[in-house]
């Protein structure tokens, strides 16, 4: 009886939260093993935990250099965590079950519906099949293209390993890189700032990983159906606008900065501005030194990281659809209208409430975490805020604070990464009791606003 009651209390959000926590624990244990490091010594527990959380949440923040600290075993463990975190462990478990011709139960379908952010359960298993197929195709093409480029500077076997690692890491919006082995620890992609081949491939991988599988499916089916869903329209519109506005802002703010765009030619400045506008959407890689950007550019990137990517994608943040609904609500109020309308479709009131709740919970979480970190860590507040938002938005960009974090700071950032991947609203649902439908309504009251 108790087991049955426990099963009934295990709602999809609770199951997802416990699942992610369990995988993080396993990843921490594996990364703690001496075989996981390049020099054969055991990594401190707090660093192993931080890395595991960063990988499963597909963030990319690191306290140790990925290319030089971890052995091949450790890097493969990280890559597996990234893939599980990007796809979602329920998606991966379903794929394994389908391989063995196991039937997917109704309860498992409901959990998958929650994990994929779908509104209906119908066709969810077919969606999972397509997710896995397209993931393998996109990551495979990315790996081949990057292998071809890297083969010019290293043996083919090493180039294939680098290409595969980077393709999986970047498509899942994790941002881990191995270039510490070549260009020095924490060097990242800075040496490729003038390489259009690498820039385009990485930008496309980040973009595809950030728009979500639902949008990818819509785009693939569009030549046949000639239709595109409201969700895809909103995601593509807001994403495109943010990329264009972001690129223009970064170009204007940084074009004369001698530490970033200043020394570059104008075509490279434009390319670098576009890349830096795409990567805050959860990409985690940068071709410019983030710490050397102007403060105005850093704050603007904080806004982009907070908005994040699309629902059902490998990215974080409050999501572009949430941002679109909020802007729609503001416009509706200014115009004195009643309904939020996007592309001639009325948005339900419950969805508007959900968007407002998610945004406020996220802001409260970031305000509290930033204030706490300003006490435990040393440095400018903008630097601390940037790190906190990067962790919550699973963006993986850093102004250099990650490696300087105190133990309590590492735990705080790790919690932000975990909550950012899981979603504060999902966690709130996971921790709350099952709500009962109200049988009455209170009388309407009036208060003065503004």
């Amino acid at each position: 009886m108790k087991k049955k009651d426990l099963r009934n209390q295990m709602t999809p959000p609770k199951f997802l939260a416990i699942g992610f926590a369990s995988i993080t624990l396993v990843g921490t244990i594996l990364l703690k093993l001496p075989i996981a490091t390049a020099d054969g010594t055991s990594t401190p527990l707090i660093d192993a935990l931080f890395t595991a959380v960063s990988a499963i949440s597909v963030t990319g923040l690191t306290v140790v250099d990925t290319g030089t600290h971890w052995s091949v075993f450790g890097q493969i463990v990280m890559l597996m965590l990234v893939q599980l975190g990007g796809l979602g462990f329920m998606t991966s478990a379903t794929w394994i079950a389908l391989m063995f011709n196991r039937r997917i139960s109704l309860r498992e379908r409901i959990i998958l519906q929650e994990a994929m952010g779908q509104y209906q359960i119908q066709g969810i298993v077919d969606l999972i099949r397509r997710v896995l197929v397209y993931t393998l195709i996109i990551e495979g093409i990315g790996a081949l293209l990057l292998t071809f480029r890297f083969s010019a500077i290293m043996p083919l076997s090493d180039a294939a390993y680098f290409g595969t690692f980077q393709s999986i890491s970047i498509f899942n919006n994790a941002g881990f890189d191995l270039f510490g082995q070549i260009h020095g620890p924490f060097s990242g992609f800075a040496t490729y700032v003038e390489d259009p081949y690498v820039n385009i491939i990485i930008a496309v991988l980040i973009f595809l990983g950030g728009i979500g599988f639902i949008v990818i499916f819509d785009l693939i089916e569009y030549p046949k159906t000639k239709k595109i869903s409201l969700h895809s329209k909103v995601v593509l519109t807001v994403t495109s606008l943010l990329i264009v506005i972001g690129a223009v802002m970064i170009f204007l703010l940084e074009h004369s900065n001698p530490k970033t765009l200043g020394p570059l030619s104008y075509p490279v400045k434009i390319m670098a501005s576009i890349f830096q506008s795409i990567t805050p959407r959860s990409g985690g890689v940068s071709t410019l030194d983030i710490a050397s950007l102007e403060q105005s550019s850093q704050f603007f990137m904080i806004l982009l990281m907070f908005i994040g990517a699309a629902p059902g994608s490998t990215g974080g943040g409050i999501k572009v659809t949430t941002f679109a609904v909020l802007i729609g609500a503001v416009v509706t109020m200014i115009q004195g209208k009643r309904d939020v309308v996007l592309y001639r479709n009325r948005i339900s009131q419950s969805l508007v409430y959900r968007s407002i709740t998610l945004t406020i919970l996220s802001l409260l979480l970031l305000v509290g975490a930033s204030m706490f970190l300003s006490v435990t860590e040393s440095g400018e507040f903008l630097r601390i805020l940037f790190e906190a938002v990067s962790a919550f938005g699973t963006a993986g960009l850093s102004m250099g604070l990650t490696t300087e974090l105190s133990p309590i700071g590492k735990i705080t950032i790790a919690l932000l990464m975990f909550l950012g991947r899981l979603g504060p609203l999902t966690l709130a649902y996971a921790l709350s009791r099952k709500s009962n439908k109200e049988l009455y309504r209170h009388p309407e009251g009036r208060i003065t606003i503004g």
Side-chain angles (χ1 to χ4, degrees), residues 221-252:
E221 295 295 328
Y222 181 75
K224 297 179 182 178
T225 62
K226 300 300 179 182
K227 293 181 180 179
I228 190 166
S229 67
L230 173 64
H231 171 85
S232 297
K233 288 179 181 177
V234 173
V235 168
L236 291 173
T237 301
V238 178
T239 298
S240 301
L241 283 173
L242 290 176
I243 290 174
V244 172
I245 294 171
V248 171
M249 289 294 294
I250 291 172
F251 180 84
L252 293 176

Side-chain angles (χ1 to χ4, degrees), residues 63 82 154 391:
V63 289
V82 165
M154 62 182 73

Side-chain angles (χ1 to χ4, degrees), residues 398-450:
S398 176
M399 291 174 61
L401 182 63
T402 310
T403 55
E404 303 171 8
L405 290 171
S406 65
I408 191 67
K410 291 177 182 178
I411 293 173
T412 304
I413 292 296
L415 283 172
L416 282 174
M417 290 189 291
F418 182 81
L419 294 175
R421 183 66 182 103
L422 192 62
L425 200 56
T426 301
L427 186 70
Y429 288 156
L431 297 178
S432 64
R433 295 181 178 180
K434 189 175 182 180
S435 59
N436 297 317
K437 188 175 181 180
E438 292 182 352
L439 301 178
Y440 61 90
R441 296 184 72 183
H442 292 282
E444 183 177 304
R446 293 181 178 273
I447 59 174
T448 304
I449 300 295

Side-chain angles (χ1 to χ4, degrees), residues 201-232:
I201 293 171
I202 294 174
V204 170
L205 286 172
I206 294 173
F207 178 80
L208 291 176
I211 61 176
F213 293 105
I214 301 170
V215 180
I216 293 175
F217 298 155
D218 270 0
L219 292 176
I220 292 174
E221 295 295 328
Y222 181 75
K224 297 179 182 178
T225 62
K226 300 300 179 182
K227 293 181 180 179
I228 190 166
S229 67
L230 173 64
H231 171 85
S232 297

